[in-house]
Structure formats: C-alpha cells, structure tokens
Amino acid sequence: MFNNRVKVKDLLQSEQTGHEVTVMGWVRTFRNNQFVALNDGSTNNNLQVVIELGMLDEATLKRITTGASLKVTGHVVASLGKGQKVEIKASAVEILGDSDAEKYPLQPKKHSLEFLREKAHLRFRTNTFGSVFRVRHALAFAIHKFFNEKGFIYLHTPIITSSDAEGAGEMFRVTTLPHDNPPRKEDGTINYEEDFFGKSTNLTVSGQLEGELGAMAFSEIYTFGPTFRAENSNTTRHLAEFWMVEPEMAFCDIEDNMNLAEEFMQYLIRYAMDNNRDDIEFLDQRLAEEEKQKPQNERQEFGLIEKLEFVLNNKFERITYTEAINILLESPAYKKKKFKYEVKWGIDLQSEHERYLVEKHFKKPVIVTGYPKDIKSFYMRLNDDGKTVAAMDILAPGIGEIVGGSQREERLEKLEERMREMHIPADEMSWYLDTRRFGTVPHAGFGLGFERMVQFVTGMGNIRDVIPFARTPKNCEF
Ligand code: 4AD
Ligand code: MG
C-alpha cells in the first residue's frame, strides 16, 4: 500500500511535529552516512531524513545514492538545520530502486541546460525543471479556470484535418499510403483518394476555423491543444509541435478581443505568482545568476519577478502597424543601420523589430493592430481603408510575438473575394463559409502560444526548456 504517503511539500508546510509519517522520493544527496535530502517533485525544497548512526548496515548505506528511490517511515521532529522547520528521524528505510552512482547522469552539481536537454527523460528531477514544469502545470490549470469562470465552452478541435487554417502551407502530412511506392493518378501525382481518409490530410496548424464554428453556436469557446508547424525555424522561440490556446467570441470586435487578451495574460501571471511563489522565486534567482555571466550591455534590465509585477501593474501599449513602422524608421537603431532586415510599410515585422519596440522603445508588452492585408491570413476582417486588416499581435519583452489574433471577416462577399485573391479553394471550405451564410455575426479571437507564455513567466530563454519533450527540426528524441 502506497497511499498513506505524505507529500514532502505538505510536510514542510505544516509545523506539526511528534507524529509518525511515511514519505517516498528520490535521493538528491546523502551526507555523512546520516543526512538524506529527499525530493518527491512536489517542491524544490528537499526533506531532510536523518538516519541514526548504526541503524542501517554498511551494505544498505552504500545503496543510498543520488537518484535512488526510498520509502522512509519515521517521526517528524523540529529541525536544527537551516532553511527547514521540520525533518524526519527515520525508523525504517526501504530502498525501492537502486541508482548506480557511477552511471547516473545527474550529479549533485550544476549541469548546463544544453546537457540536460540531452537527458530530458531525467531533467524533471532537477530544481530548474521541477520549477518550470510545476509552473507550466499551474498555467495550464489557470487557462481552464479563467475561461470557465467567464462561461466559455472548452471545444476539442481535431488534430487531423484536411484544411490549412493559416493558409501558410507549413503542414505535416498524415497518410497511410506506402511512402516508397504510393498509388498514382494518370498524370503521375499521388492518388490520395486511396489514402486512409480518401483525401490529403495533415496535422492541424490551428484550431481556429473549427473554433469559429463553435462560437457561432455557443457564443464563446476556447480550444487548448497541440498544434504542428513544419517551419524550418531553428530559433529559441519555435517548436514543430507546440500548444496553443485559442478563444473565439461571437458578438465581439477587435477592441473587445484586445481587452480579453490583456486580461487573460495578466490573470495567468497573477495565478502563477500567487500559487507557485517558491518556484517563481527560484527561477528569479536562477535567471539573475545566468544574467551575471553575460556582458553588462546584454543583461536584461529587469529581474523575473520585477518584470512580472511590472506587467501586472501597467496597461499594455496599443499602437497601429503604421505607427510601429514610423517608430522604427525614426529609431537610432535604424539610423545606425543596426537592423538586419529592411524597414518600410508593408514588411512583415521581424523579431529584431518586435524586440526593439518592446524592449528598447516601450519597455512593456505592446499590442500592434492594423497590419497590411497582404502579410496576414485570409480570414481577417478588412478595414475601411481597403489596405489593412483588423489583426492584433501582442509582443512581449524577451519573447516577441506571444499572441496573434484578429476580428474575423464576417461579410460573405468580402471573405469570398479574399479567398479568391489568396487562391484558397472555396469549394473545400464550404462548411466554413456556411457560418457567414446562416446568421453571421461580428466575431473575433486570438491564439496564445502556450510555450512562449511559459517562457515569459519562467524567464527561460529557450523554448526547448519549457516543453517536456521538444520537437524541432532534426530532433525527435524520446
Ligand atoms: O499567429 P499565429 O500563427 O495565429 C494563429 O494560428 C491563429 N489561428 C490564432 C487565432 O487567431 N485563433 O499563432 C498564434 C501564436 C503565436 O503568436 C505564437 O505565440 C505561437 O502561436 N506560435 C508558436 N509557438 C511556438 N512555436 C511555433 N512554431 C509557433 N508558431 C506560432
Ligand atoms: Mg502570428
């Protein structure tokens, strides 16, 4: 029987002593054949287990090594050690699983994040990744809490689809046809009619289009699930498999959409700050140490907690794309030719431009609206100027784009015209256009990249370190 076990976190939080408990976990360190630092993943704070000298024989003591798993029963006593109020005086120690100290990859010392990425199956047992993944969990929970409190319906949109929601063509194909010799049509092209679904299918890049169908009945929905993009981007911000939160609201315009996105981001940050204080404080320290290794001019201005508090206490800046371009054109960085990519009206903002706006110019999150229609998706609502669309991107310090959204084109003729211009086959999208044919309403929504949000809240610089098992170009381990 295992469920009479007490969690380390709960034990350390209560100041009660004198009673007997059973704890289980993994050995972090073992000192002087007496003091075990035991961790069960509920917190970074280890429980000190004291084994009286002479209690265990030599052979058993030798098996208490870093990484080994233990079941310990004993009395809770006040601790004399610093940083903990209580510890356990062991009366019985059972070794559940040995861990060969010579072979165990995690030594009780600091390992680099790069090294731990190669050992992703074990890195959950380190303080950094313990904190990161507890915060990730808290944020995921807070997402459901936020939308549930607002009466949104959680809609599960499909993973396998036959549409390209973003029209960007960066999809992973899903097929059961033999890859070495697929059936072909007379003109030599692959005959997907013989494929599993009778047509060409792929992993979804976004749940939005199906989400819109839900919003046209429930008024407000959200999806939260994995999305896939075969973009060959080897950056600290891109994954081939990432999680996206996508709310979609009927009776809603771009203004309402921005307000919701801002409230949502602040809610998530506050939830983690209130419920994972220990982890955030640990990550704040970790980041401060990492920053110290950098040359002065590359260091971030704010510490992690400072940054999060600042974002909670200040409104996001709101500017139009045209204003953003003008700021860039007038910037010292532009005049000193510091930007690698060209700046002029019509360009897609590059990450160097986004980072200049949020980190150098405004020093806070910025919502940019009114992008040129030619660089955005077909479903975004055309503004009266005929050149721009009611898009909104939220740019965050240290991250760049964290949210992408828009008011949707609810006018059937305008939408059909955009689809023709962008060569999107209307006959295959008839189900989508039906929402505009039958009771169309102004509606809007956005997508928050979940891992980028976890990066923002944890201060981790590389997106590979905030998802348990990262999928990136040429990398699909575990
Ligand atoms: O801006 P995107 O492409 O927008 C959409 O997919 C819309 N359908 C959302 C909507 O309106 N419902 O992606 C949304 C967000 C980005 O802002 C970014 O945070 C994240 O998803 N994202 C990625 N995160 C990690 N790796 C990638 N390769 C990402 N691509 C986008
Ligand atoms: Mg985008």
Side-chain angles (χ1 to χ4, degrees):
M1 202 172 59
F2 283 95
N3 62 10
N4 57 357
R5 166 176 93 88
V6 179
K7 286 210 175 206
V8 168
K9 184 182 181 188
D10 297 335
L11 200 65
L12 292 177
Q13 262 168 11
S14 90
E15 292 174 22
Q16 208 193 341
T17 54
H19 56 301
E20 191 186 66
V21 295
T22 297
V23 290
M24 295 177 212
W26 293 267
V27 176
R28 283 286 173 88
T29 57
F30 186 34
R31 283 188 300 120
N32 300 350
N33 266 349
Q34 241 185 319
F35 305 106
V36 182
L38 197 72
N39 190 283
D40 68 356
S42 57
T43 163
N44 273 349
N45 301 316
N46 300 323
L47 177 70
Q48 172 147 292
V49 174
V50 184
I51 299 170
E52 299 253 291
L53 290 172
M55 186 188 136
L56 298 177
D57 58 50
E58 206 51 34
T60 312
L61 286 172
K62 279 218 168 70
R63 293 172 61 203
I64 304 178
T65 53
T66 300
S69 47
L70 302 187
K71 173 180 177 182
V72 178
T73 301
H75 277 89
V76 183
V77 296
S79 176
L80 299 175
K82 61 171 171 9
Q84 72 221 356
K85 292 206 177 87
V86 297
E87 62 189 29
I88 301 263
K89 192 162 172 280
S91 49
V93 177
E94 184 185 332
I95 293 162
L96 299 174
D98 288 291
S99 170
D100 185 336
E102 303 279 287
K103 294 190 183 135
Y104 187 56
L106 305 183
Q107 297 304 315
K109 62 158 200 179
K110 211 168 170 62
H111 292 292
S112 73
L113 296 174
E114 290 77 15
F115 172 82
L116 292 171
R117 234 168 265 152
E118 313 267 303
K119 305 275 177 264
H121 56 302
L122 293 170
R123 67 177 177 172
F124 300 122
R125 296 189 190 183
T126 65
N127 283 339
T128 296
F129 290 96
S131 287
V132 165
F133 289 109
R134 278 189 297 272
V135 170
R136 183 181 166 112
H137 159 79
L139 291 172
F141 183 79
I143 284 166
H144 290 298
K145 191 161 149 40
F146 177 83
F147 287 119
N148 188 54
E149 281 165 6
K150 288 197 175 291
F152 283 54
I153 295 292
Y154 179 28
L155 194 76
H156 295 103
T157 53
I159 304 279
I160 301 174
T161 75
S162 56
S163 83
D164 175 3
E166 290 303 297
E170 291 161 333
M171 301 176 300
F172 288 101
R173 176 154 275 145
V174 173
T175 178
T176 54
L177 294 177
H179 60 87
D180 46 356
N181 186 22
R184 293 187 187 273
K185 293 197 269 196
E186 266 168 25
D187 63 4
T189 57
I190 294 174
N191 185 3
Y192 286 105
E193 279 172 32
E194 288 188 33
D195 204 347
F196 188 91
F197 296 105
K199 54 159 92 169
S200 155
T201 52
N202 51 270
L203 295 176
T204 187
V205 293
S206 156
Q208 179 196 322
L209 301 191
E210 291 90 351
E212 282 185 57
L213 312 180
M216 292 302 112
F218 296 110
S219 302
E220 274 125 5
I221 65 94
Y222 69 106
T223 78
F224 180 23
T227 47
F228 307 85
R229 296 200 185 170
E231 38 188 352
N232 202 0
S233 312
N234 237 318
T235 78
T236 55
R237 309 275 177 262
H238 287 88
L239 291 167
E241 176 179 303
F242 64 100
W243 285 63
M244 201 175 359
V245 191
E246 295 181 275
E248 189 70 33
M249 297 77 69
F251 321 112
C252 178
D253 66 12
I254 185 88
E255 204 71 29
D256 302 312
N257 201 25
M258 287 193 276
N259 292 343
L260 184 82
E262 184 169 338
E263 182 190 345
F264 177 51
M265 280 183 62
Q266 289 180 328
Y267 181 97
L268 295 185
I269 293 168
R270 186 165 295 119
Y271 187 87
M273 295 270 271
D274 289 348
N275 292 278
N276 291 65
R277 192 73 205 182
D278 278 2
D279 289 319
I280 302 276
E281 275 169 11
F282 175 84
L283 292 164
D284 179 79
Q285 282 294 314
R286 192 205 70 83
L287 187 64
E289 274 162 37
E290 191 180 83
E291 288 290 301
K292 269 192 233 148
Q293 312 297 318
K294 292 185 188 163
Q296 194 88 37
N297 63 335
E298 284 174 27
R299 289 185 200 164
Q300 295 175 29
E301 233 171 284
F302 290 131
L304 178 63
I305 293 179
E306 251 179 327
K307 174 190 81 178
L308 296 175
E309 264 160 11
F310 182 83
V311 172
L312 286 180
N313 296 324
N314 288 279
K315 291 236 120 257
F316 295 7
E317 195 68 37
R318 296 183 184 191
I319 58 168
T320 64
Y321 169 88
T322 304
E323 285 163 349
I325 292 292
N326 288 337
I327 291 170
L328 293 171
L329 286 175
E330 279 159 26
S331 69
Y334 179 77
K335 289 179 182 152
K336 289 187 202 146
K337 299 195 166 37
K338 289 263 174 69
F339 293 130
K340 199 168 133 213
Y341 293 91
E342 189 186 15
V343 181
K344 64 170 193 205
W345 200 94
I347 58 151
D348 207 352
L349 293 180
Q350 299 295 321
S351 103
E352 58 175 358
H353 306 138
E354 297 178 338
R355 298 190 70 160
Y356 179 84
L357 290 170
V358 288
E359 286 158 33
K360 294 275 181 315
H361 192 83
F362 290 109
K363 299 181 196 278
K364 59 162 138 165
V366 177
I367 313 184
V368 184
T369 53
Y371 283 83
K373 65 174 181 174
D374 295 332
I375 58 169
K376 287 291 184 186
S377 299
F378 73 95
Y379 51 70
M380 296 188 177
R381 194 176 196 279
L382 193 64
N383 287 329
D384 292 342
D385 61 13
K387 301 193 301 190
T388 61
V389 286
M392 62 130 196
D393 277 6
I394 302 185
L395 315 178
I399 305 284
E401 182 191 333
I402 194 163
V403 164
S406 66
Q407 185 170 339
R408 317 306 187 192
E409 184 55 83
E410 85 284 10
R411 299 162 295 187
L412 181 63
E413 296 81 61
K414 290 243 161 40
L415 183 57
E416 285 177 326
E417 199 183 312
R418 284 296 287 149
M419 289 170 75
R420 267 194 304 278
E421 277 172 26
M422 297 177 79
H423 309 291
I424 293 168
D427 49 331
E428 285 170 29
M429 298 282 284
S430 187
W431 50 272
Y432 181 68
L433 293 171
D434 267 0
T435 53
R436 275 63 169 178
R437 290 187 186 110
F438 309 115
T440 193
V441 297
H443 64 291
F446 63 83
L448 169 87
F450 185 54
E451 284 74 20
R452 292 190 188 175
M453 187 65 192
V454 180
Q455 275 191 282
F456 189 67
V457 177
T458 59
M460 298 300 285
N462 195 316
I463 199 164
R464 292 166 180 81
D465 295 332
V466 299
I467 189 162
F469 302 103
R471 272 79 182 93
T472 49
K474 302 280 179 290
N475 167 42
C476 193
E477 282 304 309
F478 309 104

PDB file of all heavy atoms in Angstrom, residues 2 23-25 55-56 60 63-64 69-73 92-97:
ATOM      1  N   PHE A   2       0.598   2.150  -0.944  1.00  0.00           N
ATOM      2  CA  PHE A   2       1.433   3.341  -1.056  1.00  0.00           C
ATOM      3  C   PHE A   2       0.696   4.619  -0.669  1.00  0.00           C
ATOM      4  O   PHE A   2       1.301   5.648  -0.493  1.00  0.00           O
ATOM      5  CB  PHE A   2       1.942   3.482  -2.490  1.00  0.00           C
ATOM      6  CG  PHE A   2       3.081   2.541  -2.799  1.00  0.00           C
ATOM      7  CD1 PHE A   2       2.842   1.309  -3.393  1.00  0.00           C
ATOM      8  CD2 PHE A   2       4.381   2.898  -2.485  1.00  0.00           C
ATOM      9  CE1 PHE A   2       3.889   0.446  -3.671  1.00  0.00           C
ATOM     10  CE2 PHE A   2       5.422   2.043  -2.762  1.00  0.00           C
ATOM     11  CZ  PHE A   2       5.188   0.811  -3.354  1.00  0.00           C
ATOM     12  N   VAL A  23       7.206   8.791   3.956  1.00  0.00           N
ATOM     13  CA  VAL A  23       7.467   9.615   2.770  1.00  0.00           C
ATOM     14  C   VAL A  23       8.201   8.770   1.736  1.00  0.00           C
ATOM     15  O   VAL A  23       8.863   7.789   2.078  1.00  0.00           O
ATOM     16  CB  VAL A  23       8.344  10.848   3.110  1.00  0.00           C
ATOM     17  CG1 VAL A  23       7.587  11.858   3.942  1.00  0.00           C
ATOM     18  CG2 VAL A  23       9.626  10.434   3.815  1.00  0.00           C
ATOM     19  N   MET A  24       8.053   9.158   0.472  1.00  0.00           N
ATOM     20  CA  MET A  24       8.782   8.456  -0.593  1.00  0.00           C
ATOM     21  C   MET A  24       9.324   9.481  -1.572  1.00  0.00           C
ATOM     22  O   MET A  24       8.718  10.536  -1.762  1.00  0.00           O
ATOM     23  CB  MET A  24       7.840   7.493  -1.316  1.00  0.00           C
ATOM     24  CG  MET A  24       7.370   6.387  -0.394  1.00  0.00           C
ATOM     25  SD  MET A  24       6.191   5.276  -1.150  1.00  0.00           S
ATOM     26  CE  MET A  24       5.222   4.848   0.300  1.00  0.00           C
ATOM     27  N   GLY A  25      10.435   9.157  -2.170  1.00  0.00           N
ATOM     28  CA  GLY A  25      11.014  10.097  -3.127  1.00  0.00           C
ATOM     29  C   GLY A  25      12.366   9.621  -3.597  1.00  0.00           C
ATOM     30  O   GLY A  25      12.737   8.454  -3.396  1.00  0.00           O
ATOM     31  N   MET A  55      21.999   2.478  12.572  1.00  0.00           N
ATOM     32  CA  MET A  55      20.659   1.963  12.295  1.00  0.00           C
ATOM     33  C   MET A  55      20.640   1.017  11.080  1.00  0.00           C
ATOM     34  O   MET A  55      19.939   0.009  11.071  1.00  0.00           O
ATOM     35  CB  MET A  55      19.715   3.141  12.047  1.00  0.00           C
ATOM     36  CG  MET A  55      18.279   2.745  11.892  1.00  0.00           C
ATOM     37  SD  MET A  55      17.302   4.180  11.381  1.00  0.00           S
ATOM     38  CE  MET A  55      16.333   3.387  10.136  1.00  0.00           C
ATOM     39  N   LEU A  56      21.385   1.375  10.044  1.00  0.00           N
ATOM     40  CA  LEU A  56      21.426   0.536   8.841  1.00  0.00           C
ATOM     41  C   LEU A  56      22.809  -0.094   8.710  1.00  0.00           C
ATOM     42  O   LEU A  56      23.811   0.509   9.095  1.00  0.00           O
ATOM     43  CB  LEU A  56      21.133   1.378   7.600  1.00  0.00           C
ATOM     44  CG  LEU A  56      19.760   2.052   7.529  1.00  0.00           C
ATOM     45  CD1 LEU A  56      19.669   2.901   6.274  1.00  0.00           C
ATOM     46  CD2 LEU A  56      18.631   1.016   7.549  1.00  0.00           C
ATOM     47  N   THR A  60      23.537  -1.555   3.126  1.00  0.00           N
ATOM     48  CA  THR A  60      22.347  -0.757   2.819  1.00  0.00           C
ATOM     49  C   THR A  60      22.731   0.719   2.661  1.00  0.00           C
ATOM     50  O   THR A  60      22.258   1.393   1.740  1.00  0.00           O
ATOM     51  CB  THR A  60      21.286  -0.916   3.938  1.00  0.00           C
ATOM     52  OG1 THR A  60      21.135  -2.304   4.211  1.00  0.00           O
ATOM     53  CG2 THR A  60      19.955  -0.315   3.538  1.00  0.00           C
ATOM     54  N   ARG A  63      23.850   1.731  -0.654  1.00  0.00           N
ATOM     55  CA  ARG A  63      22.833   1.799  -1.725  1.00  0.00           C
ATOM     56  C   ARG A  63      22.059   3.114  -1.714  1.00  0.00           C
ATOM     57  O   ARG A  63      21.256   3.381  -2.609  1.00  0.00           O
ATOM     58  CB  ARG A  63      21.876   0.609  -1.592  1.00  0.00           C
ATOM     59  CG  ARG A  63      22.555  -0.735  -1.887  1.00  0.00           C
ATOM     60  CD  ARG A  63      21.628  -1.895  -1.563  1.00  0.00           C
ATOM     61  NE  ARG A  63      20.409  -1.859  -2.359  1.00  0.00           N
ATOM     62  CZ  ARG A  63      19.270  -2.466  -1.990  1.00  0.00           C
ATOM     63  NH1 ARG A  63      19.216  -3.132  -0.845  1.00  0.00           N
ATOM     64  NH2 ARG A  63      18.214  -2.399  -2.758  1.00  0.00           N
ATOM     65  N   ILE A  64      22.268   3.937  -0.708  1.00  0.00           N
ATOM     66  CA  ILE A  64      21.598   5.248  -0.680  1.00  0.00           C
ATOM     67  C   ILE A  64      22.464   6.232  -1.458  1.00  0.00           C
ATOM     68  O   ILE A  64      23.350   6.874  -0.926  1.00  0.00           O
ATOM     69  CB  ILE A  64      21.361   5.731   0.779  1.00  0.00           C
ATOM     70  CG1 ILE A  64      20.558   4.666   1.539  1.00  0.00           C
ATOM     71  CG2 ILE A  64      20.628   7.067   0.779  1.00  0.00           C
ATOM     72  CD1 ILE A  64      20.300   5.012   2.992  1.00  0.00           C
ATOM     73  N   SER A  69      15.609   5.562  -5.173  1.00  0.00           N
ATOM     74  CA  SER A  69      14.287   5.895  -4.619  1.00  0.00           C
ATOM     75  C   SER A  69      14.097   5.192  -3.276  1.00  0.00           C
ATOM     76  O   SER A  69      14.474   4.029  -3.113  1.00  0.00           O
ATOM     77  CB  SER A  69      13.195   5.470  -5.595  1.00  0.00           C
ATOM     78  OG  SER A  69      13.427   4.158  -6.062  1.00  0.00           O
ATOM     79  N   LEU A  70      13.513   5.926  -2.334  1.00  0.00           N
ATOM     80  CA  LEU A  70      13.378   5.418  -0.967  1.00  0.00           C
ATOM     81  C   LEU A  70      11.960   5.515  -0.443  1.00  0.00           C
ATOM     82  O   LEU A  70      11.198   6.400  -0.831  1.00  0.00           O
ATOM     83  CB  LEU A  70      14.244   6.246   0.008  1.00  0.00           C
ATOM     84  CG  LEU A  70      15.736   6.385  -0.190  1.00  0.00           C
ATOM     85  CD1 LEU A  70      16.333   7.112   1.009  1.00  0.00           C
ATOM     86  CD2 LEU A  70      16.395   5.035  -0.394  1.00  0.00           C
ATOM     87  N   LYS A  71      11.650   4.603   0.441  1.00  0.00           N
ATOM     88  CA  LYS A  71      10.454   4.710   1.277  1.00  0.00           C
ATOM     89  C   LYS A  71      10.966   4.846   2.712  1.00  0.00           C
ATOM     90  O   LYS A  71      11.724   4.001   3.176  1.00  0.00           O
ATOM     91  CB  LYS A  71       9.603   3.454   1.138  1.00  0.00           C
ATOM     92  CG  LYS A  71       8.425   3.410   2.092  1.00  0.00           C
ATOM     93  CD  LYS A  71       7.629   2.120   1.889  1.00  0.00           C
ATOM     94  CE  LYS A  71       6.486   2.050   2.896  1.00  0.00           C
ATOM     95  NZ  LYS A  71       5.714   0.799   2.760  1.00  0.00           N
ATOM     96  N   VAL A  72      10.570   5.927   3.353  1.00  0.00           N
ATOM     97  CA  VAL A  72      11.073   6.187   4.699  1.00  0.00           C
ATOM     98  C   VAL A  72       9.905   6.374   5.660  1.00  0.00           C
ATOM     99  O   VAL A  72       8.975   7.139   5.370  1.00  0.00           O
ATOM    100  CB  VAL A  72      11.939   7.474   4.744  1.00  0.00           C
ATOM    101  CG1 VAL A  72      12.408   7.769   6.169  1.00  0.00           C
ATOM    102  CG2 VAL A  72      13.124   7.349   3.804  1.00  0.00           C
ATOM    103  N   THR A  73       9.944   5.676   6.777  1.00  0.00           N
ATOM    104  CA  THR A  73       8.967   5.916   7.839  1.00  0.00           C
ATOM    105  C   THR A  73       9.731   6.460   9.044  1.00  0.00           C
ATOM    106  O   THR A  73      10.866   6.044   9.301  1.00  0.00           O
ATOM    107  CB  THR A  73       8.238   4.609   8.201  1.00  0.00           C
ATOM    108  OG1 THR A  73       7.602   4.123   7.014  1.00  0.00           O
ATOM    109  CG2 THR A  73       7.166   4.842   9.260  1.00  0.00           C
ATOM    110  N   ALA A  92      12.433   3.399   9.758  1.00  0.00           N
ATOM    111  CA  ALA A  92      12.572   2.334   8.759  1.00  0.00           C
ATOM    112  C   ALA A  92      12.894   2.959   7.408  1.00  0.00           C
ATOM    113  O   ALA A  92      12.298   3.964   7.030  1.00  0.00           O
ATOM    114  CB  ALA A  92      11.282   1.531   8.661  1.00  0.00           C
ATOM    115  N   VAL A  93      13.874   2.385   6.716  1.00  0.00           N
ATOM    116  CA  VAL A  93      14.257   2.875   5.389  1.00  0.00           C
ATOM    117  C   VAL A  93      14.228   1.696   4.425  1.00  0.00           C
ATOM    118  O   VAL A  93      14.890   0.693   4.658  1.00  0.00           O
ATOM    119  CB  VAL A  93      15.674   3.488   5.401  1.00  0.00           C
ATOM    120  CG1 VAL A  93      16.085   3.915   3.995  1.00  0.00           C
ATOM    121  CG2 VAL A  93      15.743   4.665   6.374  1.00  0.00           C
ATOM    122  N   GLU A  94      13.444   1.833   3.371  1.00  0.00           N
ATOM    123  CA  GLU A  94      13.406   0.774   2.359  1.00  0.00           C
ATOM    124  C   GLU A  94      13.884   1.362   1.038  1.00  0.00           C
ATOM    125  O   GLU A  94      13.428   2.450   0.642  1.00  0.00           O
ATOM    126  CB  GLU A  94      11.964   0.267   2.220  1.00  0.00           C
ATOM    127  CG  GLU A  94      11.825  -0.902   1.263  1.00  0.00           C
ATOM    128  CD  GLU A  94      10.350  -1.295   1.051  1.00  0.00           C
ATOM    129  OE1 GLU A  94       9.536  -1.079   1.964  1.00  0.00           O
ATOM    130  OE2 GLU A  94      10.036  -1.786  -0.037  1.00  0.00           O
ATOM    131  N   ILE A  95      14.810   0.663   0.402  1.00  0.00           N
ATOM    132  CA  ILE A  95      15.273   1.147  -0.902  1.00  0.00           C
ATOM    133  C   ILE A  95      14.361   0.551  -1.970  1.00  0.00           C
ATOM    134  O   ILE A  95      14.308  -0.664  -2.146  1.00  0.00           O
ATOM    135  CB  ILE A  95      16.748   0.783  -1.129  1.00  0.00           C
ATOM    136  CG1 ILE A  95      17.582   1.600  -0.121  1.00  0.00           C
ATOM    137  CG2 ILE A  95      17.182   1.113  -2.553  1.00  0.00           C
ATOM    138  CD1 ILE A  95      18.968   1.082   0.104  1.00  0.00           C
ATOM    139  N   LEU A  96      13.601   1.423  -2.644  1.00  0.00           N
ATOM    140  CA  LEU A  96      12.660   0.935  -3.661  1.00  0.00           C
ATOM    141  C   LEU A  96      13.390   0.658  -4.967  1.00  0.00           C
ATOM    142  O   LEU A  96      13.087  -0.287  -5.675  1.00  0.00           O
ATOM    143  CB  LEU A  96      11.544   1.962  -3.891  1.00  0.00           C
ATOM    144  CG  LEU A  96      10.667   2.288  -2.685  1.00  0.00           C
ATOM    145  CD1 LEU A  96       9.708   3.423  -2.999  1.00  0.00           C
ATOM    146  CD2 LEU A  96       9.868   1.055  -2.247  1.00  0.00           C
ATOM    147  N   GLY A  97      14.346   1.514  -5.303  1.00  0.00           N
ATOM    148  CA  GLY A  97      15.093   1.328  -6.556  1.00  0.00           C
ATOM    149  C   GLY A  97      16.500   1.854  -6.421  1.00  0.00           C
ATOM    150  O   GLY A  97      16.712   2.979  -5.965  1.00  0.00           O
TER     151      GLY A  97
END
